[in-house]
Each structure stands twice: as C-alpha cells, then as structure tokens.
Amino acid sequence: MTEKREYRMEEPARPAGVMVRTLRFHRERRLLPPPRREGRVAWYDARHLARLRTIAALPERRHTLSGIAEPADAFEQGRDVGDLLGLGGPAEETPVRLTPEEPAARFEGGVTPEDRAAATRLGHPGPDGDELVHISRRLPDASSALVREGVPLAEVLDAGAASATTPRRSPASSPT
C-alpha cells in the first residue's frame, strides 16, 4: 500500500505553477476543497495539486475563475454536463406531436429511409395514429441544430443510439 503524500501550502503551489498567495485566493473562493487541518497547519494532497493545475489551465481556454468551481466539483462527483446545466431526463419533458412531413422539413429534406429506420429503432418519433409523437422537444431541436452545422443526421442518430446503451455515471457509482 502506498503512503498518501501530503504537502504544506507552498509545496503544491510550486509544481502547479502558482504562488502561495494564489493558492490562498483559490481556497477562499472555494475553488479548492478545504485542506486537512492539523492545528494551524493546512495539509494538501494530490487532489489539491490536480485541481490547482486544472484551475491554472482553464483561463487559457477562456474560462473565468468564477465559472470554474462548479464544473470542477461536478467532474469530481461524476456528474455529467446535463446534470451541471440542470437538464433533466426525458421524463421531465413534454412530448411533441408531429405530422409525418415535419421531420423531413426539420432536417431540410435530408431524411433517408435508413435515418427513419434508425430513429424508429431508438423509439422516437413513435407513431400515434396519423401523427408521430416524440418524447422530447429539445432532442429534435438539438438534432436539427447539429445537422444545420454540418453533422450528418446518420451520425446524430448513431450518437443517440450509443448514448442510449451507455449507462450514465452517477455520483454514487463514481470512484473516490
């Protein structure tokens, strides 16, 4: 079993490329989890060092410090982007009714028989009399936006099929 390495304040700051003052600033802004305390001494570990390195890299990608804490916490807890943005699952959505012509119009006529078959296998939209019912308004909106940006509908549907078969990570099942 390897011994867990801990650092005093100045030790993780150096390899992360930040000054001690910056480490204190990040801690005060709750960008870093609290260190383990032993009297007046704060002990940091590899998790703090990794978070410091992440925080140092994110502004280079045009992230502000005020926008870093929540995504970093979400990542450590195993939450996904949908959780972070507050997007619920399909059960929270209102189904949308479409005429048989609407999907073709939404995708500018670029719906092939293979695309229709793939969408049917995914269960959306499903037939209901003379109409089609889709479980979500957001999903076809997002799909058509991707197609307008140049992503082929077949790839959008393939991604939908892959995500339908991939279990979502929950905070309870994430490694600690």
Side-chain angles (χ1 to χ4, degrees), residues 30-114:
R30 297 179 187 227
L31 296 172
L32 286 175
R36 184 179 70 80
R37 291 248 174 223
E38 197 172 276
R40 293 183 57 167
V41 178
W43 291 100
Y44 297 86
D45 59 25
R47 184 175 54 133
H48 294 98
L49 180 57
R51 177 71 76 95
L52 279 171
R53 287 181 172 145
T54 300
I55 292 168
L58 287 174
E60 294 171 9
R61 296 173 140 184
R62 300 185 193 266
H63 292 276
T64 63
L65 288 179
S66 62
I68 291 173
E70 188 177 12
D73 288 339
F75 176 76
E76 284 183 359
Q77 294 168 9
R79 293 170 37 214
D80 68 16
V81 173
D83 294 335
L84 182 62
L85 296 175
L87 303 175
E92 296 178 9
E93 300 225 20
T94 304
V96 60
R97 295 189 164 280
L98 307 167
T99 66
E101 296 79 28
E102 284 181 87
R106 178 181 291 273
F107 296 102
E108 300 167 6
V111 180
T112 66
E114 292 83 9

Side-chain angles (χ1 to χ4, degrees), residues 114-130:
E114 292 83 9
D115 294 336
R116 285 184 201 275
T120 301
R121 280 192 303 277
L122 289 170
H124 45 83
D128 184 18
D130 291 339

Side-chain angles (χ1 to χ4, degrees), residues 1 22 24 77 79 121 135 137:
M1 184 171 157
T22 304
R24 281 192 188 107
Q77 294 168 9
R79 293 170 37 214
R121 280 192 303 277
I135 59 170
R137 176 167 299 284

